[in-house]
Amino acid sequence: MPEISKAYRILVAHFSQESNRLNPRPADEELFVVERGRDILRSPAGVLKGLTETLVAAGANIEPVFSANGGAGGLVDHDFYLRMREELLGAVRRIKPDAIGLDLHGAMGTTETPDAEGDLLQALRDVVGSKVPIGIGLDLHGHITRRLLDNTDICIACKENPHTDFVECGQKVAELLIQQLEGRLTPVTVSARVPMILPGAGETGSGPLAEIHAKAREYAALHPSIKDISIYNVFRFTDDDEIGQVVTILSDGPSADTSSIAVDLATRFWVERERFKDDLLTVDEVFERVRSSPDKRPFAIGDMGDRVAAGAPGDGTILLSAALDGYPGLRGAVPITDPVAAARAIEAGVGATVALSVGAGFTPGFTPRLVTGLVEYVSDGNFIVEGPVGEGAHSAMGPSAVVRVDDRIQLLLTTTPADTTDPAAFTSQNVVIGNLDFIVVKSGFHFVANFAGLATPVLVNTPGVGYYRKHQFEFRKARFWPEHDIANPEITARQHSISTSLG
Ligand SMILES: [Zn+2]
């Protein structure tokens, strides 16, 4: 990047959570990892890392406000959201930055609004006006609304699922912000939306998504004015009236071509819609595979219905019960969110034998399981994510205990829903993955990258609020294929520009 002409003051913050409205437990401060001020620069991860490191390297002065990371969970408690919003707006009023760079998810909803990022960006814009560039880096599962785009100069998604490129996403936001500040970029974004979700096949490395991303890269290479094409696959548990697949194209100045390119890419989703299907195994098929394939052990079993990574509570017991009752030879590790059982195990202490009812404390329809086991390990539940997805992020499970049941199943009991996408969730609790035949993870995509070389990934069709099934849940506002009968939609492009050319 060329030298910059002055040391711009750039306010940065990270406020991220993916909100599953079907999880009955609102996400309040207890479910967020919050750091403030320069603490957030000690070991930043993801978009925040790429953003801040690139800005510093360019010679900008960064003004860090906070990092509030809620992972995935229920809708964010609106009062907590408002407090964080006010803290951010207060910092903006005080610091009067030249630009703002944010690490957001894009699918945060609160108990009052399904479009928290849109609300946040509109509030920021109301404070700074149109002359202060705002750049954001998002998860590609963002719910991208008109309000969000109308209030943002630079809006970039990661391109990979599993999300191994968050750092690059943050770098790109920083580079484009600097270019805009220097008058070398007049960002104009066009968007096109298709009213559909992806019922499956959400990985970007294969299948129809890989083809659409390849086409996007081809278009970007052919048009020098295109600085970014982002493709958003939306979060399937958001209930809002602008639900859909969204393609955004950011160009330097208005472009004659970007509208038709956005429409073409969005139309490809509709044309290919029947190909977006997952291939999940039943619970019995999964355990039969574990039993019959010793050379592939350990298996990492993605518990799709109870995916904490998709905002489910993580309190399912169906895989635990299947392993205990049907597969007596297998050794495994199973995480379960249960603050009461975790507290009882911790109180009993390492070496004690405890009888516990575990799980089913949050998800409607789940059944608790009675177990007796030996408390092997207790901890505060904090660990650092090894990655590549989320590398370096601070993760918190709350006070946690490992209880060994039937001398072969290690139950990881956590106070808050544990992000078990990463092996460190287990190894930090003294669980030795190599000694096991299977390990249950509450993730559908990212664990494949983070367990590579350690375990064979497999996805299991389990009940719960972490997996979309047609007509399983009620949508009040959202209208989309395949939940609703949607005739061939008219796909059009919309231009969003902030008029913040500073050149
Ligand atoms: Zn995502």
Side-chain angles (χ1 to χ4, degrees):
M1 192 185 295
E3 293 284 298
I4 54 175
S5 57
K6 67 176 257 204
Y8 298 106
R9 239 171 342 155
I10 302 183
L11 182 142
V12 297
H14 171 207
F15 191 9
S16 175
Q17 200 252 17
E18 185 177 57
S19 309
N20 184 329
R21 72 193 168 83
L22 302 165
N23 179 332
R25 182 180 181 186
D28 55 16
E29 192 159 5
E30 193 204 351
L31 297 183
F32 278 76
V33 176
V34 182
E35 295 179 302
R36 289 186 164 81
R38 303 207 81 78
D39 280 356
I40 77 173
L41 304 178
R42 277 186 310 186
S43 61
V47 168
L48 184 68
K49 177 182 168 74
L51 179 69
T52 54
E53 291 180 353
T54 305
L55 291 173
V56 169
N61 289 328
I62 54 177
E63 300 279 356
V65 184
F66 60 70
S67 168
N69 185 8
L75 291 169
V76 175
D77 174 73
H78 194 65
D79 287 340
F80 171 66
Y81 164 74
L82 288 179
R83 286 202 304 279
M84 299 308 286
R85 187 184 77 176
E86 199 41 52
E87 188 173 331
L88 187 61
L89 296 177
V92 170
R93 290 190 196 96
R94 192 173 66 249
I95 293 165
K96 299 186 173 52
D98 297 310
I100 295 171
L102 301 176
D103 176 350
L104 306 174
H105 183 283
M108 180 160 70
T110 77
T111 46
E112 308 262 318
T113 173
D115 177 28
E117 283 93 350
D119 176 83
L120 182 71
L121 288 156
Q122 185 166 38
L124 281 167
R125 185 61 76 196
D126 287 347
V127 171
V128 300
S130 64
K131 296 295 183 193
V132 174
I134 299 176
I136 62 177
L138 300 176
D139 187 297
L140 62 76
H141 294 110
H143 164 50
I144 304 307
T145 62
R146 241 174 289 171
R147 180 166 61 159
L148 181 149
L149 292 171
D150 284 345
N151 289 290
T152 310
D153 297 77
I154 291 155
C155 176
I156 307 277
C158 68
K159 307 292 187 274
E160 308 283 347
N161 188 25
H163 306 329
T164 50
D165 63 331
F166 273 137
V167 176
E168 289 90 332
C169 176
Q171 288 167 346
K172 193 166 189 181
V173 173
E175 286 164 8
L176 295 176
L177 266 182
I178 297 266
Q179 288 175 23
Q180 187 183 0
L181 284 166
E182 291 281 285
R184 291 187 272 112
L185 171 71
T186 305
V188 176
T189 294
V190 298
S191 68
R193 177 186 315 277
V194 201
M196 59 177 279
I197 63 154
L198 308 186
E203 302 84 357
T204 53
S206 60
L209 262 191
E211 294 161 21
I212 294 171
H213 277 271
K215 189 68 193 171
R217 287 191 297 272
E218 200 179 295
Y219 276 131
L222 284 171
H223 294 78
S225 73
I226 293 180
K227 301 301 172 187
D228 176 73
I229 300 180
S230 288
I231 297 170
Y232 296 90
N233 302 137
V234 82
F235 184 51
R236 297 178 282 187
F237 306 105
T238 301
D239 190 8
D240 200 3
D241 51 13
E242 289 181 79
I243 283 296
Q245 306 300 297
V246 174
V247 175
T248 64
I249 303 184
L250 191 155
S251 60
D252 183 13
S255 157
D257 301 317
T258 50
S259 290
S260 59
I261 294 172
V263 169
D264 174 65
L265 292 170
T267 302
R268 286 165 191 263
F269 277 96
W270 186 255
V271 171
E272 303 291 344
R273 64 191 182 282
E274 296 290 351
R275 290 174 64 204
F276 288 101
K277 290 200 172 85
D278 279 333
D279 189 16
L280 306 184
L281 299 180
T282 66
V283 172
D284 277 336
E285 284 168 345
V286 159
F287 281 112
E288 281 304 326
R289 186 172 295 191
V290 176
R291 180 154 71 182
S292 64
S293 313
D295 52 318
K296 296 213 174 80
R297 298 175 193 160
F299 283 80
I301 303 172
D303 184 348
M304 296 301 275
D306 195 29
R307 272 189 302 159
V308 170
D315 59 344
T317 55
I318 190 165
L319 296 173
L320 170 67
S321 290
L324 285 174
D325 300 337
Y327 298 88
L330 297 180
R331 298 160 300 168
V334 182
I336 291 183
T337 311
D338 192 326
V340 177
R344 285 195 52 203
I346 291 166
E347 195 188 332
V350 172
T353 296
V354 286
L356 301 167
S357 166
V358 299
F362 301 99
T363 305
F366 277 8
T367 310
R369 171 81 193 197
L370 296 172
V371 294
T372 301
L374 176 73
V375 181
E376 279 192 335
Y377 194 78
V378 300
S379 81
D380 63 6
N382 295 326
F383 66 94
I384 306 277
V385 175
E386 289 167 8
V389 179
E391 181 184 352
H394 295 240
S395 198
M397 312 188 281
S400 300
V402 176
V403 176
R404 182 180 288 269
V405 179
D406 198 24
D407 201 31
R408 64 189 176 92
I409 304 291
Q410 287 174 292
L411 259 186
L412 171 55
L413 298 172
T414 65
T415 297
T416 60
D419 182 359
T420 48
T421 294
D422 196 80
F426 299 94
T427 55
S428 66
Q429 308 303 305
N430 252 13
V431 173
V432 180
I433 293 169
N435 288 349
L436 301 175
D437 300 316
F438 72 91
I439 192 155
V440 172
V441 297
K442 306 285 180 171
S443 163
F445 302 111
H446 309 326
F447 80 99
V448 176
N450 288 17
F451 278 85
L454 294 174
T456 305
V458 60
L459 301 180
V460 59
N461 191 348
T462 44
V465 299
Y467 194 70
Y468 170 80
R469 294 174 181 86
K470 190 174 177 178
H471 299 335
Q472 186 186 3
F473 310 115
E474 186 194 359
F475 289 86
R476 291 176 208 94
K477 297 168 87 176
R479 310 291 300 171
F480 60 88
W481 179 90
E483 184 74 11
H484 306 100
D485 287 330
I486 305 272
N488 271 353
E490 191 191 346
I491 300 168
T492 56
R494 173 184 290 274
Q495 183 174 311
H496 315 263
S497 68
I498 316 295
S499 312
T500 39
S501 171
L502 306 173

